[in-house]
């Protein structure tokens, strides 16, 4: 092979084809004259007819200088994926920044290999690198000048605002922002992410802003704010924070658990991602502790599965710290297996669910009989159209007004004008909310006067007259007849009188005010007496059916542990006790006995305690243990204070009087989780979802008073 051919072959591997063709054409045009030197800094050409990669560097404005180092087909496209540098043949990805890193060996850290041009392209490489450095230096000078001018402007504003020159220079050094800039930045966050402006009223948000401001420049690295992104938060920060908070809550509970024990509460639901999830929490006088939640997709949630789940939870939490387990009625069949594994643990059904089912039974009209799981008594006959038609009619009125903007606006204007005490918004029925039907008709009854005024309002009658369809006008007439129906109001009045006492008990068990089993037992005794006696306006035959259903529901969720808690509570311990209650108390004492607190010792202490109650000794009198101030103490604290003379009884009493009365804490946890794991955030993983509801300011249940 000749020398000319070897040179041609070598050039084909390193220089663009356009460069080679230029050299050929130039040599031919010269008619055999001396060829262009291969290391010539600039090509010889006519006018501006430069080919790719050989233009004068000063004419390559913007990023054209960088892209001119890439092979023509990719450089013109400004390809950011893998492309080849025609000076060295190296293949790499990136944009202008990556190209500058490739050329300049002084740039650190490196993410692209440094360019090592072939000998025939070294002069071009030198020109390009010099131009890049010149432009970088010019840009830096420009930024410094702009910063200096900005500092002068800030100093002028500061002087105008009454700040000293030193304060103004400090603001420039630390790049402090004005309050207006901070406010505008946060408003942009709210608008962009659809966050309500009440976000700023949250104390935790204000604390976060304060902490961020105090962190100052330590939060910035290289001029960039180093706020962690989602991946780091979910994979590193949130698990660590979860562990720290877990240790903090456990530490707070450990101080009282040996004395009070805890109640394991559990419930299930379907998340917005359609995952069947079961959670477990531990309720104690210091608050509610989240233990875990399990995604049960693909599992058969029978009695064995539920029992094994609760047994694992008790084992994880500590069997000696658990006194009872509370779940809804669907888990009744699993209680035997749980109590067989842990004989000292009491299992009972959540009263809230049972009371809600009782009110649903009374309000139903299509069933001839009522079925109560676990009830073995006589058939519960019903078949009464007592309130079902009333609920249907009220629901039609509520839908008519709330589903039409104009009537709803008129109704609200009337309510505002009349200045009626209490809430006036109509309540909609919701299947998943406890006693929502009762709440709906109660609100209808309270605002009936406003509904009457709506019917005669000129704006409303004009709107009805403008309706184009006969169906709409007929519906408006139907609504008018319902609102004017006096018998409907009488029926609603009877329903409220009949079920409002039950509603009070339900709200007690469903609330967050620390209701105990003793309170629930006392309220259920009062309800029994209420439904046992005649009720004005209610047929005696119907009343007896209602009382039978109530007793079936109470029998369904009643356990001896409720009776024992009732008999040991300071509010009720001085009442007379029947023989059946005495048997239930002894049964509970025997179940709770330990090696340290044997059953005979507990019975002996209880007998001595009964004597002290009768003789009013050991400070068990109205001026000490039963004084108004002592009665305000939480029951378990009262037992710790006034049962010290009977240590074995005190052990039992503190644990019984500290038991949670329902599994509503689980429902509260699901409600908070639903706010977070919503339809717009349905890709959250279940582990992340489990951690988020526990973060302040969203604990599932605040500490009891």
């Amino acid at each position: 092979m000749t020398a000319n051919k070897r040179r041609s072959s070598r050039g084909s591997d390193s220089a663009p084809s356009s460069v080679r063709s230029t050299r050929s054409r130039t040599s031919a045009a010269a008619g055999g004259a001396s060829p262009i030197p291969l290391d010539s800094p600039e090509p010889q050409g006519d006018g501006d007819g430069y080919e790719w990669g050989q233009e004068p560097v000063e004419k390559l404005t913007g990023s054209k200088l960088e892209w001119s180092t890439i092979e023509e087909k990719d450089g013109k496209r400004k390809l950011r994926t893998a492309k080849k540098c025609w000076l060295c043949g190296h293949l790499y990805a990136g944009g202008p920044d990556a190209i500058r890193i490739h050329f300049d060996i002084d740039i650190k850290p490196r993410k692209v290999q440094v360019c090592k041009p072939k000998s025939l392209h070294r002069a071009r490489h030198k020109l390009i690198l010099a131009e890049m450095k010149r432009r970088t230096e010019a840009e830096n000078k420009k930024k410094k000048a702009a910063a200096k001018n900005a500092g002068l402007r800030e100093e002028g504003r500061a002087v105008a605002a009454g700040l000293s020159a030193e304060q103004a220079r400090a603001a420039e050094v630390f790049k402090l922002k004005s309050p207006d800039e901070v406010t505008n930045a946060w408003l942009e966050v709210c608008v962009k992410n659809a966050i309500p402006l009440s976000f700023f009223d949250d104390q935790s948000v204000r604390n976060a802003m304060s902490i961020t401001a105090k962190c100052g420049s330590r939060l910035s690295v290289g001029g960039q704010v180093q706020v962690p992104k989602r991946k780091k938060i979910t994979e590193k920060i949130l698990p660590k924070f979860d562990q720290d908070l877990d240790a903090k809550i456990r530490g707070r509970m450990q101080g009282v658990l040996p004395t009070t024990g805890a109640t394991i509460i559990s419930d299930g639901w379907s998340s917005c991602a359609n995952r069947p999830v079961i959670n477990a929490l531990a309720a104690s006088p210091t608050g509610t502790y989240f233990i875990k939640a399990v995604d049960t997709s693909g599992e058969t949630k029978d009695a064995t599965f539920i029992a094994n789940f609760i047994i694992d939870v008790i084992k994880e939490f500590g069997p000696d710290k658990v006194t009872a387990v509370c779940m809804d009625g669907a888990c009744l069949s699993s209680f035997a297996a749980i109590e067989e594994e842990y004989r000292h643990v009491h299992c009972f059904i959540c009263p809230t669910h049972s009371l809600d089912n009782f009110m649903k039974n009374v309000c139903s009209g299509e069933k001839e009989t009522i079925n109560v799981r676990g009830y073995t008594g006589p058939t519960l006959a019903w078949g009464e159209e007592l309130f079902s038609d009333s609920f249907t009619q009220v629901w039609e009125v509520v839908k008519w007004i709330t589903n039409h903007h104009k009537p709803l606006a008129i109704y609200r204007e009337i309510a505002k004008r009349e200045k009626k005490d209490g809430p006036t918004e109509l309540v909609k029925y919701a299947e998943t909310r406890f006693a929502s039907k009762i709440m709906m008709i109660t609100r209808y009854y309270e605002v009936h006067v406003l509904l009457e005024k709506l019917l005669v309002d000129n704006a409303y009658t004009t709107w009805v007259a403008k309706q184009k369809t006969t169906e709409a006008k007929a519906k408006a007439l139907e609504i008018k007849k319902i609102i004017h129906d006096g018998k409907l109001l009488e029926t609603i009045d009877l329903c409220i009188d009949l079920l409002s006492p039950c509603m009070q008990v339900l709200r007690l068990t469903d609330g967050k005010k620390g209701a105990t089993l003793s309170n629930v037992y006392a309220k259920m005794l009062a309800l029994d007496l209420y439904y046992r006696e005649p009720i004005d306006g209610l047929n005696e035959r119907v009343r007896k059916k209602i009382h039978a259903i109530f007793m079936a529901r109470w029998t369904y969720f009643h356990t001896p542990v409720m009776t024992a808690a009732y008999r040991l509570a300071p509010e009720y311990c001085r009442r007379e006790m029947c023989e059946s209650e005495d048997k239930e108390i002894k049964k509970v004492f025997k179940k709770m006995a330990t090696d340290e607190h044997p059953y005979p010792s507990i019975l002996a202490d209880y007998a001595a305690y009964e004597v002290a109650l009768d003789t009013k000794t050991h400070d068990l009198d109205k001026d000490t243990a039963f004084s108004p101030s002592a009665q305000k103490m939480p029951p378990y604290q009262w037992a710790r204070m006034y049962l010290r003379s009977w240590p074995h009884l005190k052990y039992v009493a503190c644990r019984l009087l500290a038991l949670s009365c329902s599994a509503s804490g689980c429902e509260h946890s699901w409600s908070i989780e639903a706010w977070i794991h919503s339809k717009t955030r349905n890709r959250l993983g279940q582990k992340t979802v489990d951690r988020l509801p526990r973060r302040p300011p969203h604990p599932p249940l605040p500490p009891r008073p």
Side-chain angles (χ1 to χ4, degrees), residues 282-546:
S284 77
T286 58
T288 302
Y289 170 76
F290 181 92
I291 300 175
K292 67 177 179 180
V294 176
D295 182 356
T296 61
S297 299
E299 300 285 352
T300 301
K301 292 170 279 295
D302 54 10
T304 302
F305 179 86
I306 299 297
N308 290 336
F309 171 73
I310 296 299
I311 289 171
D312 290 342
V313 169
I314 295 175
K315 184 178 180 181
E316 178 181 339
F317 189 75
D320 59 317
K321 301 170 186 174
V322 177
T323 305
V325 173
C326 179
M327 296 186 284
D328 62 24
C331 304
L332 177 63
S333 56
S334 65
F335 287 178
I338 297 171
E339 292 183 344
E340 180 66 24
E341 182 70 21
Y342 297 107
R343 296 185 177 276
H344 68 285
V345 172
H346 305 270
C347 296
F348 61 92
I349 296 170
C350 176
T352 308
H353 292 80
S354 296
L355 291 171
D356 183 60
N357 287 331
F358 163 69
M359 288 188 282
K360 287 180 179 178
N361 295 152
V362 174
C363 296
S364 64
E366 66 277 2
K367 295 182 178 180
E368 291 297 326
T369 59
I370 300 296
N371 296 320
V372 178
R373 184 182 301 158
Y375 176 71
T376 58
T379 302
L380 299 172
W382 184 238
E384 301 290 342
E385 295 287 343
L386 192 58
F387 304 122
S388 59
D389 288 343
S390 301
F391 287 121
T392 302
Q393 291 178 342
V394 172
W395 180 228
E396 291 298 324
V397 174
V398 172
K399 287 193 297 182
W400 171 257
I401 296 175
T402 58
N403 289 349
H404 294 88
H405 293 169
K406 187 67 174 180
L408 182 59
I410 298 170
Y411 169 78
R412 286 172 173 168
E413 183 62 30
I414 293 173
K416 183 178 180 180
R417 185 171 62 243
E418 295 297 324
K419 297 181 180 179
K420 189 179 184 304
D421 294 335
T424 57
E425 283 293 310
L426 296 170
V427 175
K428 290 186 176 182
Y429 163 67
E431 183 66 36
T432 57
R433 187 174 185 183
F434 290 135
S436 63
K437 285 186 176 180
I438 312 300
M439 296 170 64
M440 180 181 69
I441 65 168
T442 301
R443 181 61 55 80
Y444 174 88
Y445 186 82
E446 292 171 348
V447 302
H448 185 264
V449 174
L450 302 179
L451 295 174
E452 292 274 8
K453 293 186 177 183
L454 172 67
L455 296 179
V456 297
D457 189 89
N458 290 332
Y460 175 77
T461 55
T462 302
W463 177 82
V464 171
K466 289 181 178 180
Q467 297 303 300
K468 297 180 180 180
T469 63
T470 55
E471 291 81 1
K473 292 182 178 180
K475 189 66 177 179
L477 183 60
E478 178 188 349
I479 297 301
K480 183 177 181 179
K481 290 181 179 179
I482 293 174
I483 295 176
H484 285 322
D485 189 353
K487 291 184 178 180
L488 174 62
L489 277 184
E490 293 177 1
T491 305
I492 294 175
D493 187 32
L494 175 61
C495 179
I496 294 173
D497 288 343
L498 181 66
L499 297 179
S500 59
C502 189
M503 278 284 293
Q504 294 175 6
V505 182
L506 185 143
R507 290 300 171 224
L508 177 69
T509 59
D510 186 40
K512 301 179 181 180
K513 296 184 179 180
T516 61
L517 285 178
S518 58
N519 299 136
V520 175
Y521 189 90
K523 296 294 184 181
M524 294 301 292
L525 287 175
L527 284 177
D528 176 29
L529 294 175
Y530 180 73
Y531 293 127
R532 192 182 293 273
E533 300 295 330
I535 299 174
D536 291 341
L538 184 64
N539 184 280
E540 270 297 290
R541 176 180 56 82
V542 177
R543 183 197 60 77
K544 291 179 180 178
K545 290 182 179 181
I546 292 174

Side-chain angles (χ1 to χ4, degrees), residues 137-151:
E137 186 178 354
E139 184 66 23
N140 290 338
K141 287 183 178 179
K142 185 178 179 181
K143 287 182 179 179
K144 288 182 180 180
K148 184 177 180 180
N149 293 334

